[in-house]
Amino acid sequence: MATQILQKCSLCFATARQLGTLHAYASRRYTSHDVQTADIVISGGGMVGAGMACALGHESLLQNRRIVLLEAAPKKGFSLTEKYGNRTCTLSPASVSLFEKCGVWSKVENMRCQKVLRMQVWESCSNALISFNPTDEADEIAYVAENDVIQEALTQRLEEMKDRIEVMYNTSADSVAVPGVDKELASNAWVEIKLNNGQVLKTKLLIGSDGMNSLVRKTCQFHTLSLSYNQRGVVAVVKIDETNNNVAWQRFLPTGPIALLPMSSTAMSLIWTTSPEHANQLMSLDEESFIDAVNDAYIHDRDMNSTAGQVSDMFQKVLQNIMPGGVAMHQLPPIITGVQSGSRGAFPLGLTHASNYVRHRVALIGDAAHRIHPLAGQGVNLGFGDVIKLSEVIAKAAANGSDLGSLTYLKEYETSRQRKVLPVMATIDGLQRLYSTDATPIVLLRSLGLQATNALGPLKDYIIKGASSS
Amino acid sequence: MHVQPYSTILRRCQLCLYSCLKRLQSETSRNQNMRLYRQLNRAFLSNRRTYGQRPVVSSTMDADEIKHFRSLANTWWDETGEFEALHAMNKIRIPFIRDGLVQQLEMSPRNPAEPLQGLSVVDVGSGGGLLTEPIARLGAFVVGIEPVEESTKIAQLHLEEDPRLLPRVKYITGSVEDLVSTEAETFDAVVASEVVEHVNDLEAFMASCCSLVKPGGSLFVTTMNKTLLSRTLAVFGAEKVFRIVPEGTHDWQKFVPPSDLQSILEKNHFHTRLLHGMLYMPVLREWRWVPDTSINYALHAVKD
């Protein structure tokens, strides 16, 4: 036996002579305490980033970990006024249940949100239309809420969870050093984030939720597919006469879809995707002309294609004979009576998709990973779906005692999310291209397709379920 | 594992003094233990001796096996490298050990994030620390024994990257016999994962492992069965065809059928609590629990 009876360590049983090289390793490591360390850092405090922070804060398995959220903007004071914010989003039931789980939904409801009970989608080149109703499981298809309201609800919740999540306002990452990408770092080193206030933050896992121009994604050198639609989205808050306002309307014009989402009994959110020239023109119109343009967009039939119209009418009659209940009444949206002053805005549209969402010690969520066309209102819901899956995967890693930045678990997140995001992205991109032309054969195809889908209740339910789940 | 009484403190080696110091620093009881803390500090700073090389003791380990693992020391922690299958195995063997211990000892942990708090575990054949670190993260105090010195060094270096784990893990270069003389019947669990198929003298090795366990404590073994199927798939297939493990890793002659293992355990006063098969899916790169124990299996035995 190599151990000697005298001069033996009572804990590790090594003799004085046996402790050779390990001594050197132990004593040199903890001399500098000037670099801060955290377990998880979320870079970017938008809706998805803040949602991620709330979700992680609710995981009991992470209660002893240091979780930091970096938000570039200062802490905003928010007060709910009569004026509505012009950026809104439709929250799917899955996103709503995430909010309920994190204690955020009650705050949103206390402020402002509106249920969507029905959705009608049609186009200007034919009479085909599709009408979505809720499935048997839920009363509503989605909820519409202003982005400001959601952000404020999340901020309030994070304030309540101060002991679990540390939010650093006015802080953003200037540069990020990722092991494996940065040659200076050892292969298993922690991610080093240099903040704009000069501090350095080291972390085991960096979650990039910093939007479509993500610094984290660029640092990781993920191959990114990025194309810009030659379109701009014009948003505004429009007023209507008081009515039961629970229907979402979307009409596909050759220049792009125009959508009206209910915000309250007297207000609706307008999102009109159109060519850049037309968008600039709309922005420069005076209020009266703008209102007229919007109303006209919903009722005009200048683009009506006669051939397609005749064929689709015939098809309609056929469907009515086969499936009497499968044909919906064509309804018109409420007339716009006014525009909230100062609520008109425009933003560019594009598609971005990172080929990888994860690497060792890094994960991307929300627009940093995937950015899509707003025509189906799915952008932020995909982001919240990322939040749900990633927090599940991190909790699983913690339950198994694994290093939180371990690629083995992050890969599960990536695979699961790509399987969900890619088909949605392809479908929405496909729809956008399908409806951007007024060529007769395409119009015919899409009209017949839409009418057939409208008649098939189970198919519509499937679509709604797919859009509703995470 | 709590700090020993005062009189034995100065008999600790530098590394252990440091671990204890760190442990006190991270606990809120530092103020209460100020006297102890100061004593430790003084001892740590004054205890600078020069030490010689730590010899490798290997009465049950095969010399050729050690040579083979030495060459792989640097690739331990690359999750997509040579040891990908072992990293993937953590997803099923950690819950196996965790749940086995929690249920057996009927624990109701106050902190769900650290269900194994207060337990002491030995990881036999810890290698680069792939299994040791997760068990330590779950709250246990783990002693990792490994005959290959390079692996222990890699493991220690990797351990130091996570300060929270430092006081909970102790790596020792040596073999199980080294511990038996002083630490018999003091551990709550012994884990011998993917080790028994590499030892020369199985009976002696198992006897040593068994003697380290407290009565009522657990022994966890994961290893490979000695069947035609395991020879074809796990040795030939894994090494030459799928290249899941480097060539020469496994010697089929040393594989242990569960019945042999169980009879050795019975002789050492252990009864089997759970025996289940495992299967690696090369395409999915995942391990699954399967009812069939022909290739890989996991065993949980408890001391009477």
Side-chain angles (χ1 to χ4, degrees), chain A residues 47-49 51-52 89 91 94-95 98-99 150 154 366 379-389 417 470:
Chain A
M47 286 191 288
V48 176
M52 185 82 231
C89 56
L91 294 172
S95 305
L98 168 68
F99 280 8
I150 297 173
L154 288 166
V380 83
N381 291 316
L382 288 177
F384 287 130
D386 291 347
V387 166
I388 295 171
K389 187 66 193 176
R417 286 314 292 166
S470 64

PDB file of all heavy atoms in Angstrom, chain A residues 47-49 51-52 89 91 94-95 98-99 150 154 366 379-389 417 470:
ATOM      1  N   MET A  47     -40.256  41.334 -24.902  1.00  0.00           N
ATOM      2  CA  MET A  47     -41.335  40.478 -24.377  1.00  0.00           C
ATOM      3  C   MET A  47     -40.851  39.049 -24.195  1.00  0.00           C
ATOM      4  O   MET A  47     -41.118  38.413 -23.172  1.00  0.00           O
ATOM      5  CB  MET A  47     -42.524  40.488 -25.344  1.00  0.00           C
ATOM      6  CG  MET A  47     -43.305  41.771 -25.316  1.00  0.00           C
ATOM      7  SD  MET A  47     -44.860  41.611 -26.209  1.00  0.00           S
ATOM      8  CE  MET A  47     -44.301  41.562 -27.885  1.00  0.00           C
ATOM      9  N   VAL A  48     -40.124  38.533 -25.175  1.00  0.00           N
ATOM     10  CA  VAL A  48     -39.688  37.141 -25.096  1.00  0.00           C
ATOM     11  C   VAL A  48     -38.590  36.964 -24.046  1.00  0.00           C
ATOM     12  O   VAL A  48     -38.601  36.010 -23.267  1.00  0.00           O
ATOM     13  CB  VAL A  48     -39.213  36.643 -26.479  1.00  0.00           C
ATOM     14  CG1 VAL A  48     -38.676  35.242 -26.406  1.00  0.00           C
ATOM     15  CG2 VAL A  48     -40.375  36.688 -27.466  1.00  0.00           C
ATOM     16  N   GLY A  49     -37.640  37.915 -23.983  1.00  0.00           N
ATOM     17  CA  GLY A  49     -36.576  37.832 -22.982  1.00  0.00           C
ATOM     18  C   GLY A  49     -37.128  37.922 -21.566  1.00  0.00           C
ATOM     19  O   GLY A  49     -36.756  37.154 -20.684  1.00  0.00           O
ATOM     20  N   GLY A  51     -40.166  37.287 -20.708  1.00  0.00           N
ATOM     21  CA  GLY A  51     -40.948  36.068 -20.501  1.00  0.00           C
ATOM     22  C   GLY A  51     -40.066  34.906 -20.089  1.00  0.00           C
ATOM     23  O   GLY A  51     -40.415  34.108 -19.217  1.00  0.00           O
ATOM     24  N   MET A  52     -38.886  34.807 -20.702  1.00  0.00           N
ATOM     25  CA  MET A  52     -37.926  33.749 -20.353  1.00  0.00           C
ATOM     26  C   MET A  52     -37.493  33.898 -18.907  1.00  0.00           C
ATOM     27  O   MET A  52     -37.429  32.933 -18.154  1.00  0.00           O
ATOM     28  CB  MET A  52     -36.707  33.864 -21.277  1.00  0.00           C
ATOM     29  CG  MET A  52     -35.703  32.760 -21.107  1.00  0.00           C
ATOM     30  SD  MET A  52     -36.152  31.286 -22.002  1.00  0.00           S
ATOM     31  CE  MET A  52     -36.027  30.059 -20.756  1.00  0.00           C
ATOM     32  N   CYS A  89     -50.084  42.372 -30.388  1.00  0.00           N
ATOM     33  CA  CYS A  89     -49.869  41.016 -30.846  1.00  0.00           C
ATOM     34  C   CYS A  89     -51.031  40.140 -30.431  1.00  0.00           C
ATOM     35  O   CYS A  89     -51.758  40.445 -29.481  1.00  0.00           O
ATOM     36  CB  CYS A  89     -48.547  40.447 -30.331  1.00  0.00           C
ATOM     37  SG  CYS A  89     -48.367  40.475 -28.570  1.00  0.00           S
ATOM     38  N   LEU A  91     -52.094  36.728 -28.843  1.00  0.00           N
ATOM     39  CA  LEU A  91     -51.512  35.689 -28.006  1.00  0.00           C
ATOM     40  C   LEU A  91     -52.308  34.405 -28.147  1.00  0.00           C
ATOM     41  O   LEU A  91     -53.508  34.388 -27.910  1.00  0.00           O
ATOM     42  CB  LEU A  91     -51.528  36.140 -26.539  1.00  0.00           C
ATOM     43  CG  LEU A  91     -50.640  37.328 -26.201  1.00  0.00           C
ATOM     44  CD1 LEU A  91     -50.904  37.789 -24.786  1.00  0.00           C
ATOM     45  CD2 LEU A  91     -49.173  36.959 -26.359  1.00  0.00           C
ATOM     46  N   ALA A  94     -51.585  28.867 -25.913  1.00  0.00           N
ATOM     47  CA  ALA A  94     -50.371  28.348 -25.269  1.00  0.00           C
ATOM     48  C   ALA A  94     -49.594  29.475 -24.595  1.00  0.00           C
ATOM     49  O   ALA A  94     -49.095  29.322 -23.480  1.00  0.00           O
ATOM     50  CB  ALA A  94     -49.486  27.643 -26.296  1.00  0.00           C
ATOM     51  N   SER A  95     -49.500  30.626 -25.288  1.00  0.00           N
ATOM     52  CA  SER A  95     -48.801  31.768 -24.682  1.00  0.00           C
ATOM     53  C   SER A  95     -49.555  32.250 -23.454  1.00  0.00           C
ATOM     54  O   SER A  95     -48.957  32.614 -22.447  1.00  0.00           O
ATOM     55  CB  SER A  95     -48.670  32.916 -25.685  1.00  0.00           C
ATOM     56  OG  SER A  95     -48.042  32.480 -26.850  1.00  0.00           O
ATOM     57  N   LEU A  98     -48.796  30.055 -20.593  1.00  0.00           N
ATOM     58  CA  LEU A  98     -47.465  30.367 -20.055  1.00  0.00           C
ATOM     59  C   LEU A  98     -47.569  31.556 -19.103  1.00  0.00           C
ATOM     60  O   LEU A  98     -47.013  31.548 -17.998  1.00  0.00           O
ATOM     61  CB  LEU A  98     -46.490  30.696 -21.189  1.00  0.00           C
ATOM     62  CG  LEU A  98     -45.145  31.317 -20.776  1.00  0.00           C
ATOM     63  CD1 LEU A  98     -44.284  30.335 -20.009  1.00  0.00           C
ATOM     64  CD2 LEU A  98     -44.370  31.823 -21.990  1.00  0.00           C
ATOM     65  N   PHE A  99     -48.296  32.576 -19.523  1.00  0.00           N
ATOM     66  CA  PHE A  99     -48.463  33.760 -18.683  1.00  0.00           C
ATOM     67  C   PHE A  99     -49.194  33.437 -17.396  1.00  0.00           C
ATOM     68  O   PHE A  99     -48.869  33.952 -16.329  1.00  0.00           O
ATOM     69  CB  PHE A  99     -49.234  34.848 -19.459  1.00  0.00           C
ATOM     70  CG  PHE A  99     -48.377  35.625 -20.421  1.00  0.00           C
ATOM     71  CD1 PHE A  99     -47.066  35.264 -20.683  1.00  0.00           C
ATOM     72  CD2 PHE A  99     -48.893  36.727 -21.079  1.00  0.00           C
ATOM     73  CE1 PHE A  99     -46.283  35.981 -21.572  1.00  0.00           C
ATOM     74  CE2 PHE A  99     -48.123  37.459 -21.970  1.00  0.00           C
ATOM     75  CZ  PHE A  99     -46.813  37.083 -22.221  1.00  0.00           C
ATOM     76  N   ILE A 150     -48.201  44.104 -22.370  1.00  0.00           N
ATOM     77  CA  ILE A 150     -47.538  42.841 -22.059  1.00  0.00           C
ATOM     78  C   ILE A 150     -46.183  43.110 -21.405  1.00  0.00           C
ATOM     79  O   ILE A 150     -45.819  42.499 -20.393  1.00  0.00           O
ATOM     80  CB  ILE A 150     -47.347  41.989 -23.326  1.00  0.00           C
ATOM     81  CG1 ILE A 150     -48.715  41.611 -23.910  1.00  0.00           C
ATOM     82  CG2 ILE A 150     -46.539  40.744 -23.033  1.00  0.00           C
ATOM     83  CD1 ILE A 150     -48.635  40.915 -25.238  1.00  0.00           C
ATOM     84  N   LEU A 154     -45.000  42.045 -17.583  1.00  0.00           N
ATOM     85  CA  LEU A 154     -43.795  41.248 -17.322  1.00  0.00           C
ATOM     86  C   LEU A 154     -42.845  42.003 -16.395  1.00  0.00           C
ATOM     87  O   LEU A 154     -42.253  41.410 -15.482  1.00  0.00           O
ATOM     88  CB  LEU A 154     -43.084  40.927 -18.643  1.00  0.00           C
ATOM     89  CG  LEU A 154     -43.778  39.898 -19.530  1.00  0.00           C
ATOM     90  CD1 LEU A 154     -43.202  39.905 -20.936  1.00  0.00           C
ATOM     91  CD2 LEU A 154     -43.654  38.504 -18.936  1.00  0.00           C
ATOM     92  N   GLY A 366     -36.785  33.516 -29.615  1.00  0.00           N
ATOM     93  CA  GLY A 366     -37.519  34.642 -30.178  1.00  0.00           C
ATOM     94  C   GLY A 366     -36.983  35.075 -31.539  1.00  0.00           C
ATOM     95  O   GLY A 366     -36.498  34.267 -32.321  1.00  0.00           O
ATOM     96  N   GLY A 379     -45.519  35.393 -34.848  1.00  0.00           N
ATOM     97  CA  GLY A 379     -44.139  35.704 -34.458  1.00  0.00           C
ATOM     98  C   GLY A 379     -43.869  35.578 -32.976  1.00  0.00           C
ATOM     99  O   GLY A 379     -43.008  34.813 -32.539  1.00  0.00           O
ATOM    100  N   VAL A 380     -44.620  36.325 -32.172  1.00  0.00           N
ATOM    101  CA  VAL A 380     -44.334  36.328 -30.737  1.00  0.00           C
ATOM    102  C   VAL A 380     -44.756  35.001 -30.095  1.00  0.00           C
ATOM    103  O   VAL A 380     -44.155  34.566 -29.112  1.00  0.00           O
ATOM    104  CB  VAL A 380     -44.997  37.550 -30.056  1.00  0.00           C
ATOM    105  CG1 VAL A 380     -46.453  37.272 -29.724  1.00  0.00           C
ATOM    106  CG2 VAL A 380     -44.246  37.972 -28.837  1.00  0.00           C
ATOM    107  N   ASN A 381     -45.753  34.343 -30.691  1.00  0.00           N
ATOM    108  CA  ASN A 381     -46.167  33.045 -30.145  1.00  0.00           C
ATOM    109  C   ASN A 381     -45.087  31.994 -30.325  1.00  0.00           C
ATOM    110  O   ASN A 381     -44.885  31.142 -29.454  1.00  0.00           O
ATOM    111  CB  ASN A 381     -47.469  32.574 -30.804  1.00  0.00           C
ATOM    112  CG  ASN A 381     -48.634  33.439 -30.398  1.00  0.00           C
ATOM    113  OD1 ASN A 381     -48.786  33.769 -29.233  1.00  0.00           O
ATOM    114  ND2 ASN A 381     -49.443  33.824 -31.361  1.00  0.00           N
ATOM    115  N   LEU A 382     -44.378  32.054 -31.440  1.00  0.00           N
ATOM    116  CA  LEU A 382     -43.248  31.138 -31.614  1.00  0.00           C
ATOM    117  C   LEU A 382     -42.176  31.442 -30.571  1.00  0.00           C
ATOM    118  O   LEU A 382     -41.549  30.549 -30.017  1.00  0.00           O
ATOM    119  CB  LEU A 382     -42.659  31.273 -33.022  1.00  0.00           C
ATOM    120  CG  LEU A 382     -43.486  30.706 -34.174  1.00  0.00           C
ATOM    121  CD1 LEU A 382     -42.786  30.982 -35.497  1.00  0.00           C
ATOM    122  CD2 LEU A 382     -43.706  29.212 -34.011  1.00  0.00           C
ATOM    123  N   GLY A 383     -41.985  32.734 -30.301  1.00  0.00           N
ATOM    124  CA  GLY A 383     -41.013  33.130 -29.280  1.00  0.00           C
ATOM    125  C   GLY A 383     -41.388  32.594 -27.906  1.00  0.00           C
ATOM    126  O   GLY A 383     -40.547  32.059 -27.179  1.00  0.00           O
ATOM    127  N   PHE A 384     -42.669  32.709 -27.558  1.00  0.00           N
ATOM    128  CA  PHE A 384     -43.096  32.183 -26.258  1.00  0.00           C
ATOM    129  C   PHE A 384     -43.044  30.661 -26.232  1.00  0.00           C
ATOM    130  O   PHE A 384     -42.800  30.055 -25.188  1.00  0.00           O
ATOM    131  CB  PHE A 384     -44.497  32.698 -25.890  1.00  0.00           C
ATOM    132  CG  PHE A 384     -44.499  34.141 -25.488  1.00  0.00           C
ATOM    133  CD1 PHE A 384     -45.390  35.035 -26.061  1.00  0.00           C
ATOM    134  CD2 PHE A 384     -43.606  34.627 -24.551  1.00  0.00           C
ATOM    135  CE1 PHE A 384     -45.391  36.375 -25.708  1.00  0.00           C
ATOM    136  CE2 PHE A 384     -43.591  35.961 -24.195  1.00  0.00           C
ATOM    137  CZ  PHE A 384     -44.484  36.842 -24.775  1.00  0.00           C
ATOM    138  N   GLY A 385     -43.245  30.057 -27.391  1.00  0.00           N
ATOM    139  CA  GLY A 385     -43.076  28.609 -27.476  1.00  0.00           C
ATOM    140  C   GLY A 385     -41.633  28.221 -27.174  1.00  0.00           C
ATOM    141  O   GLY A 385     -41.368  27.242 -26.479  1.00  0.00           O
ATOM    142  N   ASP A 386     -40.675  29.023 -27.688  1.00  0.00           N
ATOM    143  CA  ASP A 386     -39.264  28.803 -27.368  1.00  0.00           C
ATOM    144  C   ASP A 386     -39.044  28.889 -25.858  1.00  0.00           C
ATOM    145  O   ASP A 386     -38.316  28.087 -25.276  1.00  0.00           O
ATOM    146  CB  ASP A 386     -38.387  29.892 -28.020  1.00  0.00           C
ATOM    147  CG  ASP A 386     -38.324  29.782 -29.527  1.00  0.00           C
ATOM    148  OD1 ASP A 386     -38.749  28.749 -30.068  1.00  0.00           O
ATOM    149  OD2 ASP A 386     -37.846  30.739 -30.162  1.00  0.00           O
ATOM    150  N   VAL A 387     -39.672  29.889 -25.246  1.00  0.00           N
ATOM    151  CA  VAL A 387     -39.515  30.096 -23.802  1.00  0.00           C
ATOM    152  C   VAL A 387     -39.983  28.861 -23.037  1.00  0.00           C
ATOM    153  O   VAL A 387     -39.291  28.357 -22.143  1.00  0.00           O
ATOM    154  CB  VAL A 387     -40.303  31.342 -23.338  1.00  0.00           C
ATOM    155  CG1 VAL A 387     -40.428  31.383 -21.832  1.00  0.00           C
ATOM    156  CG2 VAL A 387     -39.648  32.605 -23.838  1.00  0.00           C
ATOM    157  N   ILE A 388     -41.148  28.355 -23.399  1.00  0.00           N
ATOM    158  CA  ILE A 388     -41.706  27.191 -22.709  1.00  0.00           C
ATOM    159  C   ILE A 388     -40.761  26.003 -22.838  1.00  0.00           C
ATOM    160  O   ILE A 388     -40.415  25.338 -21.855  1.00  0.00           O
ATOM    161  CB  ILE A 388     -43.093  26.824 -23.281  1.00  0.00           C
ATOM    162  CG1 ILE A 388     -44.102  27.938 -23.010  1.00  0.00           C
ATOM    163  CG2 ILE A 388     -43.606  25.522 -22.694  1.00  0.00           C
ATOM    164  CD1 ILE A 388     -45.423  27.763 -23.724  1.00  0.00           C
ATOM    165  N   LYS A 389     -40.301  25.739 -24.058  1.00  0.00           N
ATOM    166  CA  LYS A 389     -39.462  24.560 -24.284  1.00  0.00           C
ATOM    167  C   LYS A 389     -38.102  24.704 -23.631  1.00  0.00           C
ATOM    168  O   LYS A 389     -37.590  23.772 -23.020  1.00  0.00           O
ATOM    169  CB  LYS A 389     -39.297  24.332 -25.797  1.00  0.00           C
ATOM    170  CG  LYS A 389     -38.582  23.053 -26.144  1.00  0.00           C
ATOM    171  CD  LYS A 389     -39.389  21.843 -25.740  1.00  0.00           C
ATOM    172  CE  LYS A 389     -38.571  20.577 -25.797  1.00  0.00           C
ATOM    173  NZ  LYS A 389     -39.286  19.407 -25.339  1.00  0.00           N
ATOM    174  N   ARG A 417     -37.814  22.668 -31.273  1.00  0.00           N
ATOM    175  CA  ARG A 417     -38.319  23.950 -31.771  1.00  0.00           C
ATOM    176  C   ARG A 417     -38.212  24.057 -33.281  1.00  0.00           C
ATOM    177  O   ARG A 417     -39.098  24.585 -33.919  1.00  0.00           O
ATOM    178  CB  ARG A 417     -37.557  25.118 -31.109  1.00  0.00           C
ATOM    179  CG  ARG A 417     -37.930  25.366 -29.677  1.00  0.00           C
ATOM    180  CD  ARG A 417     -39.419  25.373 -29.462  1.00  0.00           C
ATOM    181  NE  ARG A 417     -40.064  26.514 -30.098  1.00  0.00           N
ATOM    182  CZ  ARG A 417     -41.380  26.620 -30.288  1.00  0.00           C
ATOM    183  NH1 ARG A 417     -42.181  25.653 -29.903  1.00  0.00           N
ATOM    184  NH2 ARG A 417     -41.878  27.706 -30.853  1.00  0.00           N
ATOM    185  N   SER A 470     -47.981  25.310 -28.321  1.00  0.00           N
ATOM    186  CA  SER A 470     -46.642  25.903 -28.395  1.00  0.00           C
ATOM    187  C   SER A 470     -45.780  25.143 -29.376  1.00  0.00           C
ATOM    188  O   SER A 470     -46.021  23.988 -29.650  1.00  0.00           O
ATOM    189  CB  SER A 470     -46.006  25.888 -27.019  1.00  0.00           C
ATOM    190  OG  SER A 470     -45.830  24.563 -26.622  1.00  0.00           O
TER     191      SER A 470
END
